[in-house]
Amino acid sequence: MQYIDLHVHSNCSDGTCTPEELVDLAADNRLVAFALTDHDTVDGVERAVAAAKDKKIEIIPGIELSCEYQVSPEKKKEIHILGYNIDYKQKDLLNALQEVAEERDNRNRKMCENLSDAGYPIDYESLTAHFGSTILTRAHFARFLLEKGAIPSIDSAFKKILAENGPYFVARRYLTPKEGIELIQKAGGIPVLAHPMLYKLSVTELHNLLTELKGYGLKGIEAMYSRNRGTDEAFVRKLAQDFDLFITGGTDFHGANKPDLEMGRGEGPLRIPVMLLENLR
């Protein structure tokens, strides 16, 4: 059996491996293909494609777009739409991602101010100098504070000081799911809902979400995923069947930022069979 990984992050977003290192890691783990799906950026795709030229590894150009879904009049939820086989040089896509990056940058500056005012050893200039020209996420905040000895763990940071309902968090304007799916489609890509069980939605809310996304052109759903538990995969496979969606799978590999995950293997016995690539052809 040959294996793949359709959900991988580099240090162009919130992973810790370069695109080139991911190619080497994929080769070491005997993967035949992987999708580079960085958050709201395609900066690493061309580098991964170039690095894989001399190796027997297929690179699926991808992205993971952060979108805000209106669950109810009182409730919003951040969801992620994966885009596969995108034209990563398409002008509309690049322009939209630039706007997203600027919005995120403004948010990050304000969060740094909030944390600094509360006594945490962080400022925007030091944060950007430390991580270079990458798209900064809350994972970078957590890693920076961990290295400074200001927090006991990355997980604790997300549960307390970086939590969405925490005192230092700053909201930003997200793409709507409709905007995200249309952006992927304009770039010739295939939109897929990432890790549906992570959103902690009720069955009714999940059905409503998929009904809406399906209307916008959603084609697939990530059924095989590292953080699935118990009957999660079976449940998502049933959702795929009910909504006429194909399934994908991935580890959500982030390198040292998620040290319990291995590229292509994920958590526990998770392996993604190569046959799932046929859904993206």
Side-chain angles (χ1 to χ4, degrees):
M1 176 73 75
Q2 293 180 314
Y3 296 100
I4 60 176
D5 195 336
L6 297 178
H7 195 157
V8 175
H9 295 276
S10 78
N11 65 353
C12 292
S13 65
D14 58 345
T16 58
C17 298
T18 66
E20 295 82 5
E21 288 170 340
L22 289 176
V23 172
D24 289 338
L25 195 54
D28 291 342
N29 290 348
R30 298 183 179 180
L31 300 183
V32 296
F34 75 89
L36 183 55
T37 54
D38 277 320
H39 292 285
D40 302 324
T41 182
V42 292
D43 287 353
V45 174
E46 189 167 16
R47 290 168 56 186
V49 170
K53 279 186 176 179
D54 297 328
K55 302 180 186 291
K56 295 181 179 179
I57 299 173
E58 179 183 356
I59 306 299
I60 295 95
I63 195 166
E64 185 174 11
L65 294 177
S66 301
C67 302
E68 188 171 75
Y69 170 62
Q70 192 78 43
V71 182
S72 68
E74 303 81 23
K75 181 180 177 182
K76 295 180 180 180
K77 179 71 69 170
E78 181 181 337
I79 66 168
H80 293 171
I81 308 293
L82 293 158
Y84 293 110
N85 286 331
I86 57 172
D87 176 0
Y88 54 92
K89 297 182 180 180
Q90 202 259 353
K91 184 176 294 187
D92 289 342
L93 175 66
L94 295 179
N95 288 341
L97 294 180
Q98 180 60 37
E99 292 179 7
V100 169
E102 290 172 359
E103 173 72 19
R104 191 193 296 266
D105 184 62
N106 292 333
R107 187 279 298 265
N108 288 340
R109 288 178 182 274
K110 180 58 179 173
M111 280 187 65
C112 279
E113 290 178 12
N114 291 349
L115 289 163
S116 179
D117 289 346
Y120 287 94
I122 191 171
D123 60 81
Y124 184 77
E125 289 69 25
S126 298
L127 188 68
T128 54
H130 186 72
F131 290 107
S133 58
T134 188
I135 290 186
L136 295 172
T137 68
R138 284 182 291 166
H140 294 95
F141 281 73
R143 191 167 182 82
F144 185 88
L145 291 171
L146 181 66
E147 292 175 7
K148 292 289 185 179
I151 57 172
S153 68
I154 288 176
D155 185 59
S156 68
F158 274 90
K159 289 180 178 178
K160 296 179 181 179
I161 64 172
L162 299 178
E164 290 186 15
N165 59 351
Y168 316 117
F169 180 78
V170 177
R172 66 181 180 91
R173 191 261 173 191
Y174 286 87
L175 295 170
T176 66
K178 185 175 187 289
E179 289 171 333
I181 288 174
E182 288 180 348
L183 203 57
I184 291 167
Q185 291 171 326
K186 285 181 181 179
I190 302 169
V192 171
L193 179 64
H195 42 59
M197 301 308 292
L198 289 193
Y199 308 131
K200 306 299 182 184
L201 298 173
S202 69
V203 174
T204 298
E205 288 170 340
L206 266 176
H207 278 245
N208 291 340
L209 170 64
L210 290 173
T211 298
E212 183 172 332
L213 298 188
K214 180 79 175 178
Y216 301 145
L218 188 76
K219 299 298 183 184
I221 189 168
E222 190 173 43
M224 303 180 72
Y225 184 69
S226 290
R227 303 303 191 200
N228 282 346
R229 295 291 182 271
T231 60
D232 285 351
E233 183 178 324
F235 176 73
V236 178
R237 284 179 178 271
K238 182 63 166 57
L239 287 176
Q241 182 180 350
D242 291 344
F243 286 88
D244 191 26
L245 300 169
F246 63 73
I247 66 165
T248 66
T251 61
D252 206 359
F253 179 75
H254 280 69
N257 283 338
K258 292 186 178 181
D260 58 323
L261 302 181
E262 185 177 349
M263 187 177 177
R265 297 181 184 274
E267 189 174 301
L270 179 71
R271 301 296 300 274
I272 312 302
V274 69
M275 65 188 69
L276 290 192
L277 270 185
E278 294 305 313
N279 293 331
L280 305 181
R281 302 302 188 194

Short mmCIF file of all heavy atoms in Angstrom, two decimals, residues 175-202:
data_model
loop_
_atom_site.label_atom_id
_atom_site.label_comp_id
_atom_site.label_asym_id
_atom_site.label_seq_id
_atom_site.Cartn_x
_atom_site.Cartn_y
_atom_site.Cartn_z
N LEU A 175 -12.67 35.89 5.88
CA LEU A 175 -13.45 35.57 4.71
C LEU A 175 -14.73 34.87 5.14
O LEU A 175 -14.74 34.16 6.15
CB LEU A 175 -12.68 34.64 3.78
CG LEU A 175 -11.40 35.15 3.12
CD1 LEU A 175 -10.66 34.00 2.44
CD2 LEU A 175 -11.71 36.25 2.11
N THR A 176 -15.80 35.05 4.41
CA THR A 176 -16.97 34.22 4.63
C THR A 176 -16.73 32.87 3.94
O THR A 176 -15.89 32.78 3.04
CB THR A 176 -18.23 34.86 4.04
OG1 THR A 176 -18.11 34.91 2.61
CG2 THR A 176 -18.44 36.27 4.59
N PRO A 177 -17.45 31.82 4.33
CA PRO A 177 -17.30 30.54 3.63
C PRO A 177 -17.56 30.67 2.12
O PRO A 177 -16.88 30.04 1.31
CB PRO A 177 -18.33 29.64 4.30
CG PRO A 177 -18.45 30.20 5.69
CD PRO A 177 -18.32 31.68 5.51
N LYS A 178 -18.54 31.48 1.76
CA LYS A 178 -18.84 31.69 0.34
C LYS A 178 -17.64 32.32 -0.37
O LYS A 178 -17.25 31.89 -1.47
CB LYS A 178 -20.07 32.59 0.19
CG LYS A 178 -20.55 32.79 -1.25
CD LYS A 178 -21.86 33.59 -1.25
CE LYS A 178 -22.46 33.65 -2.65
NZ LYS A 178 -21.70 34.50 -3.56
N GLU A 179 -17.04 33.33 0.25
CA GLU A 179 -15.88 33.98 -0.35
C GLU A 179 -14.71 33.00 -0.47
O GLU A 179 -14.00 32.98 -1.49
CB GLU A 179 -15.46 35.18 0.50
CG GLU A 179 -16.41 36.35 0.43
CD GLU A 179 -16.08 37.44 1.43
OE1 GLU A 179 -15.49 37.15 2.49
OE2 GLU A 179 -16.43 38.62 1.17
N GLY A 180 -14.50 32.19 0.57
CA GLY A 180 -13.39 31.24 0.54
C GLY A 180 -13.54 30.20 -0.56
O GLY A 180 -12.60 29.92 -1.31
N ILE A 181 -14.75 29.63 -0.66
CA ILE A 181 -14.99 28.60 -1.68
C ILE A 181 -14.88 29.20 -3.08
O ILE A 181 -14.28 28.61 -3.99
CB ILE A 181 -16.36 27.94 -1.45
CG1 ILE A 181 -16.28 27.04 -0.21
CG2 ILE A 181 -16.81 27.13 -2.67
CD1 ILE A 181 -17.60 26.43 0.22
N GLU A 182 -15.44 30.40 -3.27
CA GLU A 182 -15.36 31.04 -4.59
C GLU A 182 -13.92 31.37 -4.96
O GLU A 182 -13.53 31.25 -6.13
CB GLU A 182 -16.22 32.30 -4.61
CG GLU A 182 -17.71 32.02 -4.61
CD GLU A 182 -18.55 33.28 -4.63
OE1 GLU A 182 -17.98 34.38 -4.41
OE2 GLU A 182 -19.78 33.17 -4.86
N LEU A 183 -13.12 31.75 -3.98
CA LEU A 183 -11.71 32.05 -4.23
C LEU A 183 -10.97 30.81 -4.71
O LEU A 183 -10.17 30.86 -5.66
CB LEU A 183 -11.07 32.59 -2.95
CG LEU A 183 -9.82 33.46 -3.06
CD1 LEU A 183 -10.07 34.68 -3.92
CD2 LEU A 183 -9.37 33.88 -1.66
N ILE A 184 -11.23 29.69 -4.07
CA ILE A 184 -10.62 28.41 -4.47
C ILE A 184 -11.08 28.02 -5.87
O ILE A 184 -10.27 27.61 -6.72
CB ILE A 184 -10.97 27.32 -3.45
CG1 ILE A 184 -10.24 27.59 -2.12
CG2 ILE A 184 -10.60 25.93 -3.98
CD1 ILE A 184 -10.74 26.76 -0.96
N GLN A 185 -12.35 28.18 -6.13
CA GLN A 185 -12.89 27.82 -7.44
C GLN A 185 -12.30 28.68 -8.55
O GLN A 185 -11.97 28.17 -9.63
CB GLN A 185 -14.41 27.94 -7.43
CG GLN A 185 -15.12 26.90 -6.57
CD GLN A 185 -16.60 27.19 -6.41
OE1 GLN A 185 -17.01 28.35 -6.37
NE2 GLN A 185 -17.40 26.15 -6.32
N LYS A 186 -12.18 29.99 -8.31
CA LYS A 186 -11.60 30.89 -9.31
C LYS A 186 -10.16 30.51 -9.64
O LYS A 186 -9.68 30.75 -10.75
CB LYS A 186 -11.65 32.34 -8.82
CG LYS A 186 -13.03 32.97 -8.88
CD LYS A 186 -12.98 34.41 -8.39
CE LYS A 186 -14.35 35.06 -8.42
NZ LYS A 186 -14.29 36.45 -7.91
N ALA A 187 -9.47 29.93 -8.65
CA ALA A 187 -8.09 29.50 -8.87
C ALA A 187 -8.03 28.08 -9.41
O ALA A 187 -6.96 27.45 -9.42
CB ALA A 187 -7.30 29.60 -7.57
N GLY A 188 -9.17 27.56 -9.86
CA GLY A 188 -9.22 26.23 -10.46
C GLY A 188 -9.13 25.10 -9.47
O GLY A 188 -8.87 23.95 -9.85
N GLY A 189 -9.36 25.39 -8.19
CA GLY A 189 -9.16 24.39 -7.16
C GLY A 189 -10.43 23.69 -6.72
O GLY A 189 -11.54 24.01 -7.15
N ILE A 190 -10.26 22.74 -5.82
CA ILE A 190 -11.34 21.90 -5.30
C ILE A 190 -11.51 22.20 -3.81
O ILE A 190 -10.59 21.96 -3.02
CB ILE A 190 -11.01 20.41 -5.50
CG1 ILE A 190 -10.77 20.12 -6.98
CG2 ILE A 190 -12.12 19.53 -4.94
CD1 ILE A 190 -10.19 18.74 -7.24
N PRO A 191 -12.68 22.72 -3.40
CA PRO A 191 -12.88 23.08 -1.99
C PRO A 191 -13.35 21.90 -1.14
O PRO A 191 -14.24 21.14 -1.53
CB PRO A 191 -13.97 24.17 -2.05
CG PRO A 191 -14.71 23.89 -3.32
CD PRO A 191 -13.77 23.21 -4.26
N VAL A 192 -12.72 21.77 0.03
CA VAL A 192 -12.99 20.66 0.95
C VAL A 192 -13.07 21.22 2.37
O VAL A 192 -12.24 22.04 2.77
CB VAL A 192 -11.85 19.60 0.87
CG1 VAL A 192 -12.00 18.56 1.96
CG2 VAL A 192 -11.83 18.94 -0.51
N LEU A 193 -14.04 20.77 3.15
CA LEU A 193 -14.14 21.21 4.54
C LEU A 193 -13.13 20.45 5.40
O LEU A 193 -13.13 19.23 5.44
CB LEU A 193 -15.55 20.96 5.08
CG LEU A 193 -15.77 21.36 6.56
CD1 LEU A 193 -15.61 22.86 6.75
CD2 LEU A 193 -17.14 20.90 7.05
N ALA A 194 -12.28 21.20 6.09
CA ALA A 194 -11.26 20.59 6.95
C ALA A 194 -11.86 20.18 8.29
O ALA A 194 -12.79 20.82 8.81
CB ALA A 194 -10.12 21.57 7.18
N HIS A 195 -11.33 19.11 8.86
CA HIS A 195 -11.58 18.60 10.23
C HIS A 195 -12.91 19.04 10.85
O HIS A 195 -12.94 19.83 11.81
CB HIS A 195 -10.44 18.98 11.17
CG HIS A 195 -9.90 20.38 11.02
ND1 HIS A 195 -10.68 21.51 11.18
CD2 HIS A 195 -8.66 20.83 10.73
CE1 HIS A 195 -9.94 22.58 11.01
NE2 HIS A 195 -8.71 22.20 10.72
N PRO A 196 -14.03 18.56 10.33
CA PRO A 196 -15.34 19.02 10.80
C PRO A 196 -15.61 18.77 12.28
O PRO A 196 -16.38 19.52 12.90
CB PRO A 196 -16.33 18.25 9.92
CG PRO A 196 -15.57 17.05 9.44
CD PRO A 196 -14.16 17.52 9.28
N MET A 197 -15.01 17.74 12.87
CA MET A 197 -15.29 17.44 14.27
C MET A 197 -14.65 18.44 15.23
O MET A 197 -15.05 18.52 16.41
CB MET A 197 -14.85 16.02 14.61
CG MET A 197 -15.51 14.94 13.76
SD MET A 197 -17.30 15.04 13.73
CE MET A 197 -17.69 14.60 15.42
N LEU A 198 -13.66 19.18 14.77
CA LEU A 198 -13.00 20.15 15.65
C LEU A 198 -13.87 21.35 15.97
O LEU A 198 -13.58 22.08 16.92
CB LEU A 198 -11.69 20.64 15.02
CG LEU A 198 -10.52 19.67 14.93
CD1 LEU A 198 -9.24 20.43 14.59
CD2 LEU A 198 -10.32 18.89 16.22
N TYR A 199 -14.92 21.57 15.19
CA TYR A 199 -15.72 22.77 15.39
C TYR A 199 -16.72 22.64 16.55
O TYR A 199 -17.36 23.62 16.92
CB TYR A 199 -16.46 23.13 14.09
CG TYR A 199 -15.52 23.22 12.91
CD1 TYR A 199 -15.81 22.57 11.71
CD2 TYR A 199 -14.31 23.92 12.99
CE1 TYR A 199 -14.94 22.63 10.64
CE2 TYR A 199 -13.44 23.98 11.92
CZ TYR A 199 -13.76 23.32 10.74
OH TYR A 199 -12.89 23.38 9.68
N LYS A 200 -16.87 21.43 17.06
CA LYS A 200 -17.75 21.19 18.21
C LYS A 200 -19.18 21.68 17.94
O LYS A 200 -19.83 22.28 18.80
CB LYS A 200 -17.20 21.86 19.47
CG LYS A 200 -15.77 21.48 19.82
CD LYS A 200 -15.62 20.00 20.07
CE LYS A 200 -14.19 19.63 20.46
NZ LYS A 200 -14.00 18.17 20.61
N LEU A 201 -19.66 21.40 16.74
CA LEU A 201 -21.02 21.75 16.37
C LEU A 201 -21.94 20.57 16.65
O LEU A 201 -21.52 19.41 16.62
CB LEU A 201 -21.09 22.12 14.89
CG LEU A 201 -20.27 23.32 14.43
CD1 LEU A 201 -20.30 23.45 12.92
CD2 LEU A 201 -20.77 24.61 15.09
N SER A 202 -23.19 20.86 16.89
CA SER A 202 -24.17 19.79 17.05
C SER A 202 -24.42 19.14 15.70
O SER A 202 -24.02 19.66 14.65
CB SER A 202 -25.48 20.35 17.61
OG SER A 202 -26.12 21.16 16.62
#
